[in-house]
Amino acid sequence: MNWYLHFLGTGAAHAVELGSSSAVVERDGKPLLLIDCGPDTLDRYMASYGESPQALYITHTHMDHVGGLERLFTRLWFNDALRGQTRVFTHAALVPWLQARIADYPGVLAEGGVNYWEAFRLVPCSRGFWLDGFWFDVFPTRHHRPGTSFGIALQGSFAFTGDTRPLPEVLSQYAGGNELIAHDCGLVGNPSHTGIDDIEREYDAAMRRRLVLYHYGSAADGAALGARGYRIAGTGQRVPIPAPPPPRSDAG
């Protein structure tokens, strides 16, 4: 099987020209899992695949990562064949935040009588989740407050950090082999995001060679990161990832 990580968008929240940071795990040219759904993500997904996502993972609830759920809700609710079919995986700790930020608006539809989550299949998790026979690990990241942001990894294939500060010890556990590591990185870090100086201080050379950087501030910033010898994810780019081995014995 051929596996890819298809970056629909690669920008920080203010870098609208790069698209909201999100990616699709592709298997043999077909989408398996969408990671995050910012304001423009659904349009980019539909342009690529011609259909709504059937599985979605949410890393955290900042609007540049969940702002597209409103439009996805509308698309699913008004199509009887789609309503309730899209699985939304997220860490259980994020469910109250998703409810507060996305689903808890009085009168979801003007017609009334609608429960927001009936449009989806919400699947809370903690250590990870199963999808099409593959076990995806979920791990905590360092973004704003503890317990509010979680990355995702498929052993032997890839890890996707979501927004984070450096976390070398966590990635050593969840992506300690030859996995590709898609990592939040800008030219300059801050208390919630990784900068290139953080990458060079916190990660050894072997791990740096496996990084693909995204969530940067502009096309110029991406070019500057690339000029320093790093692989940079481009908007719309498909990056090959290793095919995952069978799930390990302790998965699930």
Side-chain angles (χ1 to χ4, degrees):
M1 285 187 260
N2 295 314
W3 290 73
Y4 290 87
L5 202 56
H6 178 196
F7 288 87
L8 298 180
T10 58
H14 63 278
V16 294
E17 71 280 5
L18 299 176
S20 303
S21 284
S22 61
V24 179
V25 182
E26 286 187 354
R27 178 181 56 182
D28 285 341
K30 296 181 179 180
L32 178 64
L33 178 68
L34 171 63
I35 304 173
D36 284 339
C37 189
D40 59 342
T41 301
L42 183 59
D43 285 342
R44 294 174 184 270
Y45 188 99
M46 293 290 297
S48 293
Y49 304 109
E51 61 184 14
S52 301
Q54 297 183 17
L56 166 65
Y57 174 74
I58 299 296
T59 63
H60 66 292
T61 63
H62 280 151
M63 283 300 176
D64 57 319
H65 295 261
V66 298
L69 287 177
E70 177 69 15
R71 288 191 56 233
L72 181 56
F73 163 81
T74 302
R75 178 174 175 80
L76 299 177
W77 183 262
F78 288 106
N79 187 320
D80 289 341
L82 299 178
R83 185 188 301 175
Q85 298 304 305
T86 294
R87 283 172 285 183
V88 177
F89 299 96
T90 195
H91 195 282
L94 299 184
V95 172
W97 295 106
L98 272 176
Q99 178 67 17
R101 293 176 68 82
I102 300 296
D104 197 23
Y105 191 86
V108 177
L109 291 179
E111 294 82 359
V114 175
N115 298 310
Y116 181 88
W117 289 115
E118 287 190 70
F120 304 91
R121 289 171 57 192
L122 180 62
V123 186
C125 61
S126 54
R127 293 174 295 104
F129 58 90
W130 289 101
L131 178 62
D132 285 9
F134 297 96
W135 173 258
F136 289 82
D137 287 302
V138 167
F139 56 88
T141 59
R142 298 173 57 204
H143 185 54
H144 286 287
R145 291 174 55 183
T148 62
S149 184
F150 298 86
I152 183 173
L154 181 57
Q155 186 183 37
S157 186
F158 78 93
F160 187 97
T161 65
D163 295 2
T164 191
R165 292 288 296 159
L167 59 170
E169 69 290 345
V170 175
L171 290 175
S172 293
Q173 177 179 350
Y174 291 98
N178 295 316
E179 294 90 346
L180 178 140
I181 301 172
H183 203 296
D184 168 14
C185 185
L187 275 182
V188 179
N190 61 41
S192 291
H193 292 278
T194 301
I196 192 60
D197 58 329
D198 299 313
I199 292 285
E200 293 176 345
R201 181 183 63 252
E202 299 286 348
Y203 295 110
D204 62 26
M207 188 167 282
R208 292 199 301 269
R209 285 193 291 269
R210 295 191 286 125
L211 297 178
V212 174
L213 306 181
Y214 75 101
H215 204 278
Y216 42 90
S218 66
D221 285 359
L225 293 170
R228 295 177 70 138
Y230 291 91
R231 186 159 40 155
I232 308 303
T235 300
Q237 182 181 7
R238 287 173 167 86
V239 178
I241 55 178
R248 62 186 185 270
S249 60
D250 64 343

